Every structure is written in C-alpha cells, then in structure tokens.
Amino acid sequence: METIIFDGRAFAAEKEDELKKGLAKLNNKGITPKLVSVLVGNDPASILYVNLKKKVGERIGVKVEILRFDDNVCVDELIHRHKELSIDESVDGIMLQLPLPEKFTLDDRDEIINSITKEKDVDGLRSDSPFLTPTVKSVLYVLQKASQNIVRLPLRVPPCKVVVVGYSGFEGGKIYKVLKEMSYEVTGIDSKTKDLKKKTQSADILISATGSPGIIQGNMIKEGAVVIDVGAPKGDVVKDEVIGKAGFLSPVPGGVGPVTIISLFENMLDNCQAS
C-alpha cells in the first residue's frame, strides 16, 4: 500500500503566507501584535521551540519576547509575572512553554497556567480558553488533509473510529475532548490500558501523543489507517514500519510540529482582530 505522507513544513509555509496578509493589514495601521513566551529552565527542546516561534513571528509581523527564568524560580514569581503581563495593554498573547522542569507538580502547572488571563491565552492552555491549543488545531488540519486524500474518511462523523494514545496526558486529553465534541467515536488509552495492541489495531484514525519514542509499531495499526504522530520531541511512531501499511501518515519530524507554530500565530491574529 502506498502511504501518503503529510508534509507539515509545506502546509505551514502556505499558512504562513496567508497569515502575512492578515498581519500586514494590522501592521499598516501601526499595530504590531506582541506575544510573550515564558520559558522556565534549560530544556533543549523547549529552547528550540521558543526560538523557532520567535523566528516565525519576526517573518510574519509579530513581535515575540522571550521571558526566561531559571529552574529555581518559584510558583509565586511566575504567577506574579503572568498577572503583570495579563494587564499589560502592549501584550496581545501569553504562552507558557511546556513541559515545566520536574520540580513543578501538576497542580503547580495548572495554577501557573490559570494565572494567564483567558483573553490572552493564545496557546489554549486554560480549560476555559477561547482558543484551541496549536496541537489540537494542527491535528484537525491533518485530518482535513487526510479526508481530502482518503474518500472513505469523513472529517466529522462516524463510522470513523479514533483511538488517542496518551489521552490522560495534557495534549492527548485536549485532542480526545475536541474529537469527542466533533462526534467522532473516540477511545482513549494510555500505558495502563490492557490489550494496547488490540485497541490500536481497531482504529481508523490513530493519534499518539505519549512522548514515548517507538511505542507505535507497524504491527499495531490497521491496514489503511490514518496515523498522526504527536509525540515530542522524537515521535511515538516507528515510521519505517508504518509506511506501506498506513493509508496516511503525519510523521515526526515534519508533520504536526511545524503546523503548531503557525496555529499559535493564527490564534494571535484572531485575538488581535477581535480586539
């Protein structure tokens, strides 16, 4: 079977051109949207992602300020800075780069996230955020592309069966929730699930967001399935084993990742246009 490979870089480049046009209209009015990216610690992948966002922002007409903190910063300091940024009229969007260093608990993470006012939560981290997370938006874009290439794959309705691996995680949970709301038949599984292979083999659409490299092998997918790898930074799917069996594959690297950056700036533009 020929596997169609989703080219996230090419897709993001097309979206970037569209964004430039929308942002140019704001720039021509003397408005330069400003995003503040809060980075805690020295995780190499997080530093890479933040710098990539800054470069894209500069290309399309968004000012991106990186606010860096050492690992030893306390929760109260991060909350204080988020609250300051939330009332700063020059700031249009705030994002907290995840994951946080290991010393922070899940409760700490949620408290820090919720200190960002929802109107500026362009990364969609809060449970009541008006924005979808860039990862969720990217997955939906991939599904649109897949539905254009696979006739039997409807975008929103059953009988497509979706399995989200890692649904108990932050991004996996958000993907699971949104697809449920879109009337997909969604099953969420994680490392504690029994008969993992049996469940993944039942999926018409398999989305993996565990961050466990190689957890999805070729013998775990249905022939012709849509496979979307959301594992970061190295990918969950053994690409070489899936190619030739999947009908459509969004791989790592080069799949969802580049689209998440563009999706973040789409949220920024939407926020500025609504203001």
Side-chain angles (χ1 to χ4, degrees):
M1 171 179 287
E2 180 183 358
T3 300
I4 299 168
I5 307 295
F6 174 72
D7 187 341
R9 295 186 181 94
F11 184 88
E14 293 177 8
K15 288 289 181 182
E16 186 173 320
D17 288 339
E18 295 174 14
L19 268 177
K20 282 180 181 177
K21 295 174 183 177
L23 286 161
K25 294 178 181 178
L26 292 177
N27 295 159
N28 290 337
K29 296 177 182 178
I31 301 171
T32 300
K34 180 179 176 180
L35 171 70
V36 177
S37 181
V38 177
L39 174 62
V40 183
N42 297 295
D43 177 67
S46 292
I47 293 170
L48 173 64
Y49 293 151
V50 166
N51 287 330
L52 284 173
K53 290 164 188 172
K54 184 175 176 63
K55 288 179 181 178
V56 173
E58 290 171 347
R59 288 202 304 263
I60 63 176
V62 174
K63 181 180 180 181
V64 180
E65 178 183 319
I66 301 174
L67 193 59
R68 295 196 63 170
F69 294 91
D70 293 332
D71 284 357
N72 60 4
V73 67
C74 67
V75 172
D76 287 344
E77 171 64 10
L78 291 172
I79 289 173
H80 174 69
R81 294 307 296 272
H82 276 165
K83 289 182 176 179
E84 283 186 333
L85 293 169
S86 292
I87 61 174
D88 185 340
E89 293 183 359
S90 72
V91 176
D92 302 287
I94 306 165
M95 63 154 292
L96 174 69
Q97 181 64 46
L98 298 176
L100 291 170
E102 289 184 0
K103 78 164 193 174
F104 293 95
T105 67
L106 293 180
D107 286 342
D108 290 338
R109 181 199 67 189
D110 291 343
E111 189 177 1
I112 294 166
I113 286 171
N114 288 324
S115 65
I116 301 171
T117 184
K118 67 178 182 181
E119 290 78 13
K120 295 186 180 182
D121 178 28
V122 292
D123 215 21
L125 298 181
R126 292 174 56 121
S127 60
D128 61 349
S129 176
F131 303 99
L132 289 177
T133 72
T135 299
V136 171
K137 287 188 73 171
S138 299
V139 168
L140 297 182
Y141 278 136
V142 173
L143 287 176
Q144 286 179 333
K145 278 293 183 181
S147 68
Q148 291 167 9
N149 286 277
I150 301 176
V151 176
R152 65 172 176 75
L153 177 67
L155 179 60
R156 292 178 180 269
V157 296
C160 274
K161 181 175 182 180
V162 183
V163 172
V164 178
V165 188
Y167 87 111
S168 57
F170 190 81
E171 289 290 2
K174 288 183 177 291
I175 294 167
Y176 175 88
K177 179 176 180 291
V178 169
L179 292 180
K180 270 280 191 185
E181 291 170 350
M182 293 174 68
S183 299
Y184 279 105
E185 180 189 343
V186 189
T187 300
I189 60 179
D190 57 25
S191 59
K192 298 177 183 178
T193 301
K194 296 180 180 179
D195 299 325
L196 182 69
K197 180 177 175 182
K198 183 178 180 180
K199 288 183 169 60
T200 58
Q201 286 176 334
S202 71
D204 299 302
I205 301 169
L206 179 63
I207 303 168
S208 190
T210 70
S212 301
I215 192 173
I216 304 299
Q217 301 171 8
N219 62 2
M220 296 174 67
I221 69 166
K222 178 192 285 189
E223 189 84 18
V226 172
V227 179
I228 304 176
D229 192 347
V230 192
K234 295 184 178 180
D236 290 359
V237 176
V238 182
K239 181 179 176 181
D240 291 344
E241 294 184 7
V242 169
I243 291 177
K245 188 172 183 182
F248 190 96
L249 171 65
S250 176
V252 172
V256 165
V259 186
T260 61
I261 297 176
I262 288 300
S263 296
L264 170 67
F265 288 111
E266 283 182 334
N267 286 348
M268 276 287 293
L269 178 58
D270 290 343
N271 200 26
C272 291
Q273 289 175 332
S275 299

